[in-house]
Amino acid sequence: MGTVPSALKHCLSYQHLLKEQLWIGEPAAPPPAVPHPGQEFQASGLPEYIKIVEVGPRDGLQNEKVLVPTDIKIELINRLSRTGLPAIEVTSFVSSKWVPQMADHKEVMRGIERHPGVQYPVLTPNLQGFRSAIAAGATEVSVFGAASESFSKMNINCSIEESIEKFEEVAKSARNMNIPVRGYVSCALGCPYEGNIIPTKVAEVSKRLYSMGCYEISLGDTIGVGTPGSMKRMLEAVMKEIPLSALAVHCHDTYGQALANILTAIQMGVAVVDSSVAGLGGCPYAKGATGNVATEDVIYMLNGLGINTGVNLYTVMEAGNFICTALNKKTNSKVAQASFNTGTIN
Amino acid sequence: SVVPTQVKINLINMLSETGLPVVEATSFVSPKWVPQMADHTEVMQGITKFPGVSYPVLTPNLRGFQAAVAAGAEEVSIFGAASELFTKKNINCSIEESLERFGEVMAAARAASIPVRGYVSCVLGCPYEGKISAAKVAEVAKKMYSMGCYEISLGDTIGVGTPGSMKEMLAAVAKEVPVGALAVHCHDTYGQALANILVALQMGVSVVDASVAGLGGCPYARGASGNVATEDLVYMLNGLGVHTGVDLQKLMDTGTFICNALNRRTN
């Protein structure tokens, strides 16, 4: 680029720039009372409102190297509750033998503040986990399927079909207790073992989860290999089986494609996006690579598109700053990086 | 720290082998202002010019242009901005005055049959002025195109743009400059680059600037990233089935080379 000016100190502060660029202020509308707002679209064809599901405390922390103390987790979740985020994935009721990072699931569930209008889903891989979650006060649960047989086998040691059967037990109990269930489909755009995943397989697994009663299906690009091309093809296949309003995307940024993939999804009408504060959670399949897309970066993009999320970007950045300081790590959010010169808020 | 001339030459030669059609080699600007480009003549004369690859160089004024041509340059670039304050801080004159200076370069280039590429900085935001109107970008782009630039590269200099502002800006510019003559130069300071590039592609833009390994931080935000990484861009375009002619593996190897030479991690 041209000559670098010497008068950098005369620059507008980034906070000033952010305020101008991002319509930061009070959220335009309170979070909707129902989990799924109707699909209101702007003139641009994009949804007017996008629900952000914050997975940092679960998916994020589960994939960080450091074991986080319970009180830090609770503090993080409480801070996130004050940002306007409508849904925060709290923890996972899975055996601590498999996922030691989530061993304190009961304490976390019982310890967090429950803000009105905010959902606090938890992972429940089976009936035992479900019961434990309910006993600890959970009011929404999630089940995790995969579009890849190999991944299913390696991850939870059973076939897709067997895993679906387990989830059906959970879904049945959940239905009896009026507990909503969210379904995840991993490896929607590629598998670390099988490579390419065909869109119709993703559609098939999604349909099974939806039919058993999952109110929403989150399609996960688990290893971040997807691009706008494969995202489009996959969504086209899934949209034949599942109503648009029940779809969410869970993109990983391992290859830097997440925001472009999310943009593609929302251009196709998807109005629910999963993300992780500060981009917490590396990729267990690619050492040193990034994992979850950063909530801050997603909100920045959505704000710039004039899409309402109800979320205050500043407070999310503050929560991200808190957890990164606690974990002694750098944020994975570019927005946060650009905004904080020294890692603390100016 | 300044990169040794031989490393720069090696980098450019490696990039030439990846299939990239254009590699911006250096800048013929006074070393007083940009010491990192002080070896412009040696670099220009030292690189291997691959057939079918263009090697444009920056030429901020007539003197730089003449030095560039003497060193063997066959294409040059000029840098304008959509922000008065940015122009004042950067080159100490108004936008109008900067375009007059470029007029001299254009005349000389035309006489020598040398193509000129025009850059417009701050198209989606300015570190001094903040918001930049799309109409202003269109105005500057149009002027540069009318002066004879064959292509206008629209730069999101501080990376603040989003698909929303990109769309609005391009819609305004495309009214004044044919979309076939437009390029986008997105910075990834806020992680928005690929999403912004995707929108540009959707609007018909087919020229994209990028930097191997995402070289080049942001001088306005310490620690922040700058240029979008060519590897990430090619990955996306491959996934979209868009042809680039670039070998991603060779590109990644080139990125590894320069990062090792600079003792830094890739972006």
Side-chain angles (χ1 to χ4, degrees):
Chain A
M1 301 283 301
T3 316
V4 174
S6 54
L8 291 184
K9 56 183 174 294
H10 299 294
C11 268
L12 297 175
S13 73
Y14 262 101
Q15 275 164 350
H16 178 116
L17 208 58
L18 285 180
K19 280 202 180 82
E20 225 185 52
Q21 293 277 340
L22 306 177
W23 300 272
I24 295 296
E26 290 312 305
V34 295
H36 311 288
Q39 290 300 321
E40 308 282 336
F41 288 92
Q42 304 176 38
S44 59
L46 299 174
E48 278 188 351
Y49 171 83
I50 285 190
K51 173 176 123 180
I52 297 191
V53 176
E54 170 60 49
V55 301
R58 204 285 305 169
D59 192 357
L61 294 185
Q62 182 170 318
N63 287 297
E64 287 290 332
K65 291 190 283 283
V66 180
L67 267 183
V68 180
T70 306
D71 60 336
I72 302 277
K73 288 182 188 170
I74 290 172
E75 175 64 24
L76 172 64
I77 293 165
N78 289 344
R79 283 173 183 245
L80 290 169
S81 289
R82 295 174 208 137
T83 61
L85 282 162
I88 302 167
E89 197 178 64
V90 169
T91 186
S92 181
F93 281 79
V94 67
S95 160
S96 50
K97 191 173 56 171
W98 294 116
V99 186
Q101 300 91 326
M102 299 284 125
D104 54 2
H105 36 68
K106 287 202 197 79
E107 292 84 345
V108 172
M109 197 71 223
R110 293 201 186 114
I112 57 171
E113 291 165 7
R114 305 284 280 260
H115 289 233
V118 184
Q119 300 297 321
Y120 298 94
V122 299
L123 252 68
T124 52
N126 49 39
L127 201 52
Q128 193 191 23
F130 176 79
R131 291 196 185 117
S132 190
I134 298 301
T139 47
E140 178 175 327
V141 301
S142 309
V143 294
F144 254 80
S148 153
E149 284 292 354
S150 315
F151 188 83
S152 198
K153 207 111 191 84
M154 298 293 263
N155 226 28
I156 50 177
N157 202 25
C158 62
S159 69
I160 297 179
E161 190 59 43
E162 287 164 339
S163 73
I164 300 269
E165 282 162 20
K166 287 189 197 165
F167 302 148
E168 267 164 351
E169 295 184 330
V170 173
K172 192 157 159 232
S173 294
R175 192 165 35 247
N176 290 341
M177 303 182 64
N178 275 336
I179 299 264
V181 182
R182 189 187 210 224
Y184 282 87
V185 181
S186 303
C187 298
L189 297 178
C191 168
Y193 309 106
E194 285 181 19
N196 230 350
I197 294 292
I198 54 173
T200 44
K201 187 71 185 173
V202 182
E204 183 195 313
V205 177
S206 303
K207 186 173 185 178
R208 296 293 300 278
L209 290 171
Y210 188 69
S211 308
M212 75 171 68
C214 293
Y215 75 90
E216 193 168 87
I217 307 296
S218 174
L219 304 162
D221 182 13
T222 306
I223 45 171
V225 287
T227 61
S230 55
M231 171 65 84
K232 184 158 192 260
R233 285 190 294 275
M234 184 275 293
L235 282 176
E236 277 168 352
V238 176
M239 278 160 60
K240 288 193 182 123
E241 308 288 349
I242 315 275
L244 195 48
S245 58
L247 290 180
V249 289
H250 183 113
C251 297
H252 278 201
D253 204 36
T254 319
Y255 289 78
Q257 309 294 305
L259 284 189
N261 292 343
I262 290 168
L263 179 63
T264 302
I266 67 181
Q267 283 177 340
M268 293 174 75
V270 171
V272 184
V273 177
D274 300 359
S275 59
S276 175
V277 62
L280 287 179
C283 179
Y285 305 96
K287 195 160 68 85
T290 55
N292 282 301
V293 68
T295 304
E296 298 92 317
D297 299 2
V298 172
I299 293 174
Y300 186 95
M301 180 172 80
L302 297 180
N303 283 353
L305 281 164
I307 295 174
N308 186 25
T309 60
V311 183
N312 183 309
L313 176 54
Y314 278 125
T315 52
V316 175
M317 287 202 283
E318 285 173 342
N321 192 41
F322 161 77
I323 191 62
C324 286
T325 307
L327 290 173
N328 194 25
K329 65 164 276 183
K330 278 187 66 181
T331 181
N332 275 336
S333 157
K334 293 236 164 123
V335 171
Q337 257 173 273
S339 308
F340 303 150
N341 288 337
T342 56
T344 53
I345 299 182
N346 292 332
Chain B
S1 62
V2 178
V3 179
T5 306
Q6 194 53 53
V7 173
K8 288 181 191 175
I9 290 173
N10 290 347
L11 170 64
I12 294 168
N13 289 344
M14 286 184 78
L15 289 169
S16 294
E17 295 199 30
T18 62
L20 284 162
V22 184
V23 179
E24 194 175 68
T26 185
S27 180
F28 280 79
V29 67
S30 160
K32 193 174 55 172
W33 293 115
V34 187
Q36 301 92 326
M37 298 284 123
D39 54 1
H40 37 66
T41 307
E42 292 87 341
V43 170
M44 199 67 219
Q45 287 171 340
I47 58 173
T48 308
K49 296 224 183 131
F50 282 62
V53 184
S54 298
Y55 299 92
V57 298
L58 254 66
T59 53
N61 48 39
L62 192 56
R63 194 163 71 143
F65 175 80
Q66 286 158 347
V69 173
E74 292 166 66
E75 179 174 328
V76 300
S77 309
I78 57 173
F79 257 82
S83 156
E84 287 289 356
L85 262 176
F86 186 85
T87 306
K88 194 113 191 83
K89 300 279 194 187
N90 229 21
I91 49 178
N92 201 24
C93 63
S94 69
I95 295 179
E96 191 59 44
E97 288 165 340
S98 76
L99 292 177
E100 277 167 19
R101 285 186 205 170
F102 297 146
E104 298 183 328
V105 174
M106 301 303 306
R110 194 163 27 246
S113 286
I114 296 228
V116 181
R117 187 186 212 227
Y119 282 86
V120 183
S121 304
C122 298
V123 300
L124 298 179
C126 169
Y128 308 104
E129 285 185 17
K131 235 173 146 39
I132 294 292
S133 80
K136 187 71 184 173
V137 180
E139 185 195 316
V140 177
K142 182 180 185 168
K143 286 211 176 102
M144 294 179 80
Y145 186 68
S146 311
M147 286 165 68
C149 293
Y150 76 91
E151 195 167 87
I152 307 295
S153 175
L154 304 161
D156 182 13
T157 307
I158 45 171
V160 287
T162 62
S165 54
M166 171 64 83
K167 190 164 188 231
E168 194 193 327
M169 184 274 296
L170 281 177
V173 176
K175 286 195 182 120
E176 309 289 348
V177 180
V179 77
L182 292 179
V184 289
H185 183 114
C186 296
H187 278 197
D188 204 37
T189 319
Y190 288 79
Q192 308 294 305
L194 284 189
N196 292 343
I197 289 167
L198 181 61
V199 164
L201 297 176
Q202 289 173 341
M203 293 179 75
V205 171
S206 55
V207 184
V208 182
D209 301 358
S211 175
V212 63
L215 288 179
C218 181
Y220 306 96
R222 192 160 63 90
S225 58
N227 282 303
V228 67
T230 313
E231 298 91 314
D232 298 3
L233 170 65
V234 171
Y235 185 92
M236 179 172 83
L237 295 176
N238 284 353
L240 279 163
V242 173
H243 181 65
T244 61
V246 179
D247 182 320
L248 181 53
Q249 187 55 56
K250 285 190 179 156
L251 186 58
M252 291 198 286
D253 293 341
T254 307
T256 304
F257 159 76
I258 191 62
C259 287
N260 285 342
L262 293 174
N263 193 27
R264 55 162 283 175
R265 285 187 61 189
T266 181
N267 272 336

